């Protein structure tokens, strides 16, 4: 491990409020596949850790929700869970903790702005959870998730059904086909793309949305239709 990477890990430990006994775990959690030879990707990059961290995150958040909302039904809890463990939320946490500063990337990924890519940041956030779990156990991982996801849980507002789900249910209620989404444009550099997506419902309303990911653009398009049709207020978007 290079001295510079050691310093990056020390700085990261300060930001995440956790000191690793085995720093090789967090080193792996910060290593993108582009920085590892192909035959060693599975064991020296964060891919397997991201898989584990995703499951630990879901369990901790589910437990937080059960305790915070004792009267909520399964559907309500599931919608809250989906909001909190989705990639966009994980990327927000990564940005807040500046996890991008410590990521090891291959030359090509560095040049294309990999430290700022939402998908990479989200994966690293989950991998760091796994590293903490492997290093300090479930309680340490739960404490990390609680510190960084509880404020987001408490701040959840607006409709818990996402826009795409709500639009689909509305269309079905009207006897209309399932909405279809088509990407019509992609612009901007690789590290900060903007997508444009059109949504259409045969015999029903159409809309268009833009976002930093295709999913975000789809949500924006669906939200526009819901607001126009009076299903949601403008504040919901």
């Amino acid at each position: 491990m290079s001295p510079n990477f050691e310093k990056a890990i020390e700085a990261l430990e300060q930001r995440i409020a956790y000191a690793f006994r085995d720093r090789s775990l967090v080193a792996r959690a910060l290593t993108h596949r582009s920085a590892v030879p192909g035959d060693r990707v599975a064991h020296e990059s964060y891919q397997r850790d991201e898989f584990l961290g995703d499951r630990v995150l879901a369990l901790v958040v589910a437990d937080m929700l059960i305790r915070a909302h004792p009267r909520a039904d399964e559907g309500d809890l599931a919608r809250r869970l989906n909001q909190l463990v989705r990639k966009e939320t994980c990327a927000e946490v990564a940005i807040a903790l500046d996890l991008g500063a410590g990521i090891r990337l291959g030359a090509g990924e560095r040049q294309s702005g990999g430290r700022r890519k939402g998908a990479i940041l989200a994966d690293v956030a989950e991998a760091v959870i796994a590293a903490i779990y492997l290093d300090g156990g479930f309680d340490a991982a739960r404490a990390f998730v609680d510190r960084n996801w509880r404020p987001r849980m408490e701040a959840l507002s607006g409709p818990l059904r996402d826009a795409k789900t709500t639009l689909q249910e509305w269309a079905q209620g009207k006897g209309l086909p399932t909405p279809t989404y088509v990407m019509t444009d992609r612009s901007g550099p690789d590290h900060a793309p903007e997508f444009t997506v059109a949504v259409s419902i045969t015999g029903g309303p159409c809309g268009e949305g833009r976002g930093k990911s295709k999913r975000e653009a789809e949500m924006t398009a669906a939200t526009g239709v819901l607001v126009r049709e009076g299903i949601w207020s403008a504040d919901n978007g």
Side-chain angles (χ1 to χ4, degrees), residues 34-76:
S34 64
V36 180
D39 60 340
R40 294 174 6 217
V41 165
H43 298 287
E44 295 185 21
S45 76
Y46 63 62
Q47 284 187 322
R48 288 163 57 88
D49 294 323
E50 179 265 331
F51 170 83
L52 175 60
D54 176 65
R55 275 67 185 173
V56 175
L57 172 64
L59 175 58
V60 175
V61 171
D63 183 64
M64 286 166 49
L65 289 169
I66 285 284
R67 296 172 187 275
H69 302 282
R71 296 181 180 276
D73 62 23
E74 179 186 6
D76 180 73

Side-chain angles (χ1 to χ4, degrees), residues 15 25 36 64 96 104 136 146 152 168 186 193 210 220:
R15 295 195 299 276
L25 293 169
V36 180
M64 286 166 49
R104 285 197 290 195
D146 190 272
R152 289 167 170 79
Q168 180 174 330
R186 183 190 186 283
R210 294 181 177 82
T220 303

Side-chain angles (χ1 to χ4, degrees), residues 70-149:
R71 296 181 180 276
D73 62 23
E74 179 186 6
D76 180 73
L77 292 168
R79 288 187 289 273
R80 291 178 187 274
L81 177 68
N82 289 338
Q83 288 283 332
L84 290 165
V85 303
R86 62 181 186 156
K87 291 296 185 182
E88 290 85 350
T89 304
C90 292
E92 289 173 7
V93 172
I95 291 169
L97 295 173
D98 195 18
L99 297 186
I103 301 175
R104 285 197 290 195
L105 300 164
E109 199 63 63
R110 282 199 306 273
Q111 292 170 4
S112 66
R115 296 185 196 282
R116 299 186 297 275
K117 290 182 180 178
I120 291 177
L121 290 169
D123 287 347
V124 168
E126 292 172 339
V128 167
I129 292 171
I132 294 172
Y133 169 75
L134 293 171
D135 186 74
F138 182 72
D139 286 344
R142 178 166 54 190
F144 173 80
V145 172
D146 190 272
R147 284 194 302 274
N148 293 286
W149 270 264

Side-chain angles (χ1 to χ4, degrees), residues 172-195:
Q172 290 173 344
K174 293 284 187 180
L176 299 171
T178 299
T180 58
Y181 298 84
V182 177
M183 187 175 73
T184 59
D185 188 41
R186 183 190 186 283
S187 60
D190 287 343
H191 69 272
E194 181 174 79
F195 298 87

